[in-house]
Amino acid sequence: MADDIEIDAQGEHGYLVTQLSELEDVRTWFRVTPEVMDQLGADDEEDVVLRTVQFLRKHQDVADFPEAVDLEDVIASYDDYLTVMTAD
C-alpha cells in the first residue's frame, strides 16, 4: 500500500480513505458494489479502492477529491478506468 494512503473498511462495501499530506489530510468515503467488482473481474475490494485512488490521482489533485466516491460514478466519468483497472 502507498505510504501516504490509509484505507479503513467501514462496513459492507464501504471504505474510508485518508490521504496523508503535510498541509491537510484528505478523507474520502469509497463505495464498492459487487456489480463493480464483477465488471473489474476482481475479488479484493481494498486493492480496488487503492488502485482507484492511484488512478484518480493521475487525473486530479488530492485536494480536489470529493467527500464520497462511488466506483460506478468513476466508471461513468473516466473512459479509461475499466481498461486501466483490468490491464493487470
Side-chain angles (χ1 to χ4, degrees), residues 33-67:
T33 64
E35 293 79 17
V36 168
M37 296 300 289
D38 287 345
Q39 282 184 277
L40 297 174
D43 58 4
D44 184 342
E45 289 184 356
E46 190 168 320
D47 180 63
V48 166
V49 170
L50 173 62
R51 292 175 54 218
T52 300
V53 171
Q54 293 167 334
F55 172 87
L56 291 173
R57 282 180 166 192
K58 293 177 183 174
H59 294 14
Q60 65 191 65
D61 291 331
V62 170
D64 295 331
F65 269 54
E67 289 183 21

Side-chain angles (χ1 to χ4, degrees), residues 14-83:
Y15 296 86
L16 177 59
V17 174
T18 304
Q19 298 181 72
L20 308 174
S21 73
E22 292 179 13
L23 300 175
E24 183 177 348
D25 295 349
V26 175
R27 290 177 178 75
T28 307
W29 289 94
F30 278 76
R31 188 171 85 78
V32 182
T33 64
E35 293 79 17
V36 168
M37 296 300 289
D38 287 345
Q39 282 184 277
L40 297 174
D43 58 4
D44 184 342
E45 289 184 356
E46 190 168 320
D47 180 63
V48 166
V49 170
L50 173 62
R51 292 175 54 218
T52 300
V53 171
Q54 293 167 334
F55 172 87
L56 291 173
R57 282 180 166 192
K58 293 177 183 174
H59 294 14
Q60 65 191 65
D61 291 331
V62 170
D64 295 331
F65 269 54
E67 289 183 21
V69 173
D70 188 318
L71 268 61
E72 291 176 358
D73 293 338
V74 176
I75 291 170
S77 299
Y78 295 95
D79 293 337
D80 60 336
Y81 177 75
L82 287 175
T83 303

